[in-house]
């Protein structure tokens, strides 16, 4: 079975130092399903999202691998065409709603720009579509909101607008990059529910980047656990929470706070587990270097 | 409402500033050595002649008394009479002002066009070798003062490859149908593009000389700001929507980077106006700056005072304009 998004053997490194950032990452995401990408900071989960959307920092160099979006290898098409392809078929829900909207542009054009400029819609049709998606994310008075500037809206409102904007072009894939991290706890839940509901209604494939296993259990079907740029476990959500296979996954799960006994449940990842994981990665690197 | 209050507040402080400027200039030009009487009398004049002339021009009174008389007249719109030309200072100065305004605005336009273009180009080409070339050009622009640019341009476009006029404001043999002193503006209104061409040919080099240092400042500052802005979240989001790098710079980054640059351009524009004094002299351009140098050389005290006051008004007006533009362009201030 091949997914709408298919990442095969993706390896990346830092251009200057040659430090390995991604190690032969395989990820498959069938149309309409939700995959969580979890791991600690620096594990490379955000980087995979950026690679899919073609916005890797210049210092990051893809060494080998394929990123197939709807069957087309993004790494093989010329840059201008790749941008258009990504703009038409994929979208990003960014992490921080306070910085992801342009402060000097009104809300309306920031939703309709992709529809008009990239997809070639008529302006009137794009505007009515924008009103439609704003209503769908429960923005009151969408006509008025379209004329406002970002600073006139709260963080939660702005994240709703960014979600509406992501769904506006009916993309087949959405990358959500820690979409609730920057929000108040009370708003987090609503936003999570909203993304989940929209995903289900539109049948969008969702790549959900997060460090929060609680979020994964609520939203995702499958998940990939990343450590040091390597997928150490690729499994379904049920199987992961029932019986995680990799020692690092088990440690990660043990480190998640629980309501029943908060103090006891906060366990740092044991050094032995980290050492073992690093040894595993070093061995894989050595094998990779030998064959390369 | 806030805009109106801003303007009123600034007008009040402007008046206080102008009074201070008037006092300082009045005292300084009377304390420094050299006086107009010595310039007017032929060699061998007696002390009695000197005293008589001093009394005639009121220069025998104390500086405080002189100032009170002068200031009283100014309040009635009388800035005195030029000692060298014996014409009213106000009409002399207002006659020359349009020439300097046209030159300064032209220089500003050139500086903004060159500066913004280089900044956008430099941001687009960041990381490439061409960016280093733009940085070098900026460095040269910043380190060479306007009058040296003037000399270099005279050599280049006046001597080696003589395509532009190097002297004056307009060719002397031309008949001018103008009713105002805004020659360039009026030539366009009257559709006399032959005259426009002649005026531009005279104005080009002094304007460019004034513009180059400012262009370098604009370019450097704007590029720095753009390079930060193109990495912000909303620029990255725009890239995922399918926009090209150029489009991201122009429609996402530029509107946010232009505001901080604008404040600086305002301050720098007043320096540019100050630069017209030497540059106008260099190109024999008949503006206020050229007249200022003549006035200083001849110790024409009333004329110097008039010119300095006018420059001070010009500077405060430019600053007020910048503040107002800033308030209008910044959505956060506009809705406050």
């Amino acid at each position: 079975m091949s997914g709408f998004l298919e990442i095969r053997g993706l390896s990346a490194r830092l251009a200057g130092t040659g430090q390995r950032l991604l190690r032969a990452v395989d990820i498959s995401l069938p149309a309409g399903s939700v995959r969580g990408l979890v791991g600690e900071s620096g594990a490379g989960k955000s980087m995979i999202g950026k690679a899919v959307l073609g916005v890797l920092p210049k210092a990051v160099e893809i060494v080998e691998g394929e990123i197939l979006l709807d069957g087309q290898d993004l790494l093989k098409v010329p840059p201008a065409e790749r941008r258009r392809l990504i703009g038409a078929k994929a979208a990003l829900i960014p992490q921080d709603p306070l910085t992801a909207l342009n402060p000097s542009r009104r809300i309306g054009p920031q939703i309709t720009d992709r529809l008009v400029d990239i997809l070639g819609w008529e302006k009137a049709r794009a505007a009515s579509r924008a009103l439609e998606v704003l209503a769908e994310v429960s923005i009151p008075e969408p006509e008025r909101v379209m004329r406002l500037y970002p600073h006139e809206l709260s963080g939660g409102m702005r994240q709703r607008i960014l979600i509406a904007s992501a769904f506006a072009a009916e993309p087949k894939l959405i990358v959500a990059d820690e979409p609730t991290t920057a929000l108040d706890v009370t708003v987090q839940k609503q936003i999570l529910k909203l993304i989940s509901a929209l995903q289900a209604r539109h049948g969008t494939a969702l790549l959900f980047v997060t460090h929060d296993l609680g979020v994964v259990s609520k939203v995702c079907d499958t998940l990939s656990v990343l450590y040091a740029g390597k997928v150490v476990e690729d499994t379904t959500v049920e199987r992961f929470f029932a019986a995680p296979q990799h020692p690092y996954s088990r440690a990660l799960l043990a480190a998640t706070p629980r309501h029943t006994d908060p103090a006891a449940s906060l366990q740092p990842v044991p050094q032995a587990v980290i050492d073992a994981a690093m040894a595993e990665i070093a061995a894989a690197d050595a094998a990779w270097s030998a064959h390369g | 409402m806030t805009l109106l209050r801003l303007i009123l507040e600034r007008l009040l402080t402007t008046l206080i500033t102008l009074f201070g400027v008037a006092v300082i200039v009045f005292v300084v030009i009377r304390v420094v050595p050299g006086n107009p009487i010595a310039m007017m009398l032929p060699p061998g004049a007696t002390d009695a002649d000197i005293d008589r002339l001093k009394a005639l021009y009121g220069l025998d009174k104390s500086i405080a008394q002189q100032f009170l008389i002068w200031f009283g007249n100014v309040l009635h719109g009388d800035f005195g009479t030029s000692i060298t030309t014996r014409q009213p200072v106000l009409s002399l100065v207002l006659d020359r002002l349009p020439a300097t305004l046209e030159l300064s605005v032209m220089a500003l336009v050139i500086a903004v066009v060159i500066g913004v273009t280089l900044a956008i180009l430099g941001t687009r080409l960041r990381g490439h070798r061409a960016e280093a070339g733009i940085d070098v050009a900026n460095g040269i622009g910043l380190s060479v003062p306007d009058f040296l640019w003037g000399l270099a341009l005279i050599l280049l476009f006046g001597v080696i490859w003589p395509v532009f006029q190097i002297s004056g404001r307009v060719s002397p043999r031309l008949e001018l149908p103008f009713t105002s002193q805004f020659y360039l503006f009026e030539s366009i209104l009257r559709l006399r593009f032959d005259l426009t061409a002649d005026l531009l040919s005279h104005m080009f080099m002094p304007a460019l000389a004034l513009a180059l240092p400012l262009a370098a400042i604009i370019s450097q500052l704007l590029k720095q700001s753009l390079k930060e802005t193109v990495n912000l979240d909303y620029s990255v989001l725009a890239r995922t929507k399918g926009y090209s790098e150029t489009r991201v710079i122009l429609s996402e980054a530029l509107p946010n980077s232009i505001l901080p640059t604008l404040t600086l351009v305002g301050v720098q524009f007043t320096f540019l106006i100050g630069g017209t004094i030497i540059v106008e002299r260099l190109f024999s351009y008949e503006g206020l700056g050229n007249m200022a140098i003549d006035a200083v050389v001849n110790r024409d005290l009333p004329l110097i005072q008039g010119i300095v006051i006018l420059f001070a008004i010009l500077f405060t007006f430019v600053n007020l304009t910048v503040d107002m533009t800033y308030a209008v362009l910044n959505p956060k201030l506009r809705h406050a």
Side-chain angles (χ1 to χ4, degrees):
Chain A
M1 182 188 73
S2 106
F4 182 77
L5 173 69
E6 198 73 43
I7 299 175
R8 289 180 192 151
L10 188 68
S11 291
R13 66 176 177 212
L14 212 56
T17 61
Q19 191 199 335
R20 312 250 334 240
L21 300 169
L22 294 178
R23 298 175 150 93
V25 169
D26 291 312
I27 285 172
S28 175
L29 184 60
S33 75
V34 184
R35 176 177 286 273
L37 283 184
V38 296
E40 52 195 83
S41 335
K45 51 194 195 303
S46 275
M47 194 163 296
I48 293 171
K50 288 198 172 95
V52 170
L53 294 171
V55 288
L56 278 178
K58 276 192 180 146
V60 178
E61 192 172 70
I62 291 178
V63 186
E64 59 177 18
E66 294 176 329
I67 303 175
L68 298 165
L69 185 68
D70 204 6
Q72 250 177 311
D73 187 354
L74 292 177
L75 302 176
K76 290 213 175 70
V77 292
E81 201 188 322
R82 182 195 317 158
R83 278 199 310 268
R84 234 173 301 118
L85 208 67
I86 292 170
K89 296 189 172 176
L92 169 72
I93 299 177
Q95 177 170 7
D96 187 352
L98 300 185
T99 55
L101 286 165
N102 191 327
S104 60
R105 296 177 63 206
R106 290 174 198 276
I107 298 296
Q110 298 198 51
I111 299 175
T112 57
D113 53 4
R114 181 204 316 248
L115 305 178
V116 176
D117 297 337
I118 306 297
L119 302 177
W121 290 23
E122 299 268 327
K123 272 195 175 147
R125 185 180 157 216
S128 72
R129 174 67 185 149
L131 289 174
E132 209 175 290
V133 283
L134 283 176
E136 216 177 333
V137 297
S138 315
I139 295 279
E141 302 178 78
E143 290 94 346
R144 194 179 69 86
V145 169
M146 296 257 287
R147 289 192 302 271
L148 297 180
Y149 286 93
H151 72 269
E152 297 171 279
L153 296 159
S154 70
M157 285 275 270
R158 288 191 227 181
Q159 191 59 297
R160 282 168 190 276
I161 286 163
L162 285 161
I163 291 166
S165 174
F167 280 95
E170 294 281 2
K172 291 279 182 296
L173 169 72
I174 284 182
V175 177
D177 186 4
E178 309 233 16
T180 58
T181 314
L183 299 170
D184 285 342
V185 183
T186 45
V187 186
Q188 281 187 6
K189 237 183 183 167
Q190 302 170 11
I191 294 294
L192 219 53
K193 267 192 190 153
L194 182 66
I195 294 176
S196 228
L198 281 168
Q199 180 274 329
R201 195 178 318 149
H202 294 262
T204 321
L206 183 61
L207 195 61
F208 204 103
V209 177
T210 181
H211 61 264
D212 188 342
L213 286 174
V215 169
V216 172
S217 70
K218 289 191 194 87
V219 186
C220 303
D221 308 318
T222 56
L223 85 162
S224 304
V225 181
L226 279 140
Y227 185 77
K230 186 178 182 339
V231 178
V232 292
E233 183 154 5
D234 178 346
T235 179
T236 67
V237 168
E238 292 84 31
R239 248 184 283 156
F240 178 81
F241 284 99
Q245 296 303 302
H246 195 274
Y248 178 73
S249 304
R250 283 199 289 272
L252 203 62
L253 201 55
T256 309
R258 254 163 248 132
H259 299 297
T260 46
D261 189 3
S265 64
L266 277 175
Q267 297 292 334
V269 177
Q271 192 58 43
V273 172
I274 293 174
D275 292 344
M278 285 318 289
E280 189 183 326
I281 282 162
D285 275 3
W288 187 79
S289 303
H291 94 79
Chain B
M1 251 4 322
T2 43
L3 201 61
L4 193 68
R5 237 190 79 189
L6 175 77
I7 295 172
L8 287 177
E9 270 174 24
R10 290 299 297 269
L11 282 181
L12 193 71
T13 50
T14 299
L15 288 179
I16 299 168
T17 311
L18 289 180
F19 183 77
V21 169
V23 172
I24 291 169
V25 172
F26 202 91
V27 173
V28 166
I29 59 179
R30 277 166 177 76
V31 170
V32 295
N35 68 68
I37 307 299
M39 312 290 295
M40 290 157 98
L41 286 170
T46 63
D47 283 355
D49 293 332
I50 291 174
D51 288 344
R52 209 152 16 86
L53 261 181
K54 269 192 173 172
L56 184 66
Y57 284 98
L59 295 171
D60 54 340
K61 298 188 173 67
S62 76
I63 291 181
Q65 272 177 315
Q66 288 182 41
F67 182 78
L68 284 179
I69 296 167
W70 177 79
F71 192 69
N73 289 337
V74 166
L75 290 182
H76 294 99
D78 176 9
F79 281 80
T81 308
S82 158
I83 294 177
T84 35
T85 65
R86 290 165 217 273
Q87 282 174 304
V89 167
L90 191 63
S91 70
L92 277 177
V93 167
L94 289 184
D95 244 25
R96 287 290 187 97
L97 177 65
T100 297
L101 281 184
E102 283 191 346
L103 179 65
S104 310
V105 171
M106 176 63 81
L108 181 66
V109 171
I110 294 175
V112 169
V113 169
I114 296 178
V116 171
T117 309
L118 282 183
I120 291 172
L121 219 61
T123 312
R124 181 68 189 83
L125 299 172
R126 63 189 182 282
H128 289 67
R129 218 170 288 164
E131 191 198 357
I134 288 173
D135 287 341
V136 170
N138 281 345
I140 296 172
L142 280 172
S143 49
V144 177
D146 45 18
F147 55 90
L148 278 186
W149 280 121
L151 288 174
L153 288 172
I154 288 176
L155 263 180
L156 184 62
F157 292 125
V159 179
I160 298 173
W161 185 39
V163 282
F164 294 107
Q165 305 292 328
I166 57 168
S167 167
R169 189 181 179 198
V170 67
S171 297
R173 61 197 153 68
L174 288 177
E175 257 185 62
L176 303 175
F178 302 132
T179 51
S180 77
Q181 292 293 320
F182 287 97
Y183 288 176
L184 188 67
F185 189 61
E186 214 183 320
S187 74
I188 295 168
L189 282 188
R190 286 173 187 271
L191 306 177
R192 289 288 306 273
F193 297 125
D194 54 325
L195 294 178
T196 311
D198 184 75
L199 286 161
L200 284 178
S201 172
H202 282 84
M203 197 186 276
F204 177 73
M205 281 201 284
L208 188 61
L210 287 167
L212 284 176
L214 181 57
I217 293 173
I218 294 176
S219 164
Q220 200 180 41
L221 193 91
L222 184 60
K223 191 183 106 185
Q224 200 183 341
S225 172
L226 282 175
K227 278 175 77 172
E228 283 165 24
T229 318
V230 290
N231 287 325
L232 295 182
D233 288 353
Y234 53 81
S235 297
V236 173
L237 184 62
R239 270 180 217 117
T240 71
K241 288 177 180 175
Y243 286 109
S244 69
E245 197 54 38
T246 310
R247 177 67 197 261
V248 169
I249 294 172
L250 291 180
S251 63
E252 301 291 329
L254 194 59
N256 291 295
S257 295
I258 212 84
L259 273 180
T261 312
L262 184 73
T263 320
L264 177 112
V265 170
V267 177
Q268 294 293 329
F269 183 51
T270 56
F271 288 132
L272 186 151
I273 296 175
T276 58
I277 293 179
I278 295 181
V279 171
E280 281 183 7
R281 188 64 161 193
L282 202 59
F283 289 91
S284 308
Y285 185 90
E286 292 118 27
L288 213 50
N290 209 345
M291 181 187 250
I293 292 187
D294 283 335
V296 170
V297 169
N298 296 324
R299 297 288 187 276
D300 192 337
L301 302 186
L303 190 54
I304 297 175
Q305 280 150 213
I307 291 171
V308 172
I309 297 284
L310 191 67
F311 267 118
I313 293 176
L314 219 56
F315 284 16
T316 47
F317 179 74
V318 168
N319 282 327
L320 182 65
T321 314
V322 170
D323 285 357
M324 277 162 48
T325 321
Y326 195 88
V328 170
L329 284 185
N330 188 343
K332 282 189 195 172
L333 287 183
R334 186 170 44 203
H335 293 276

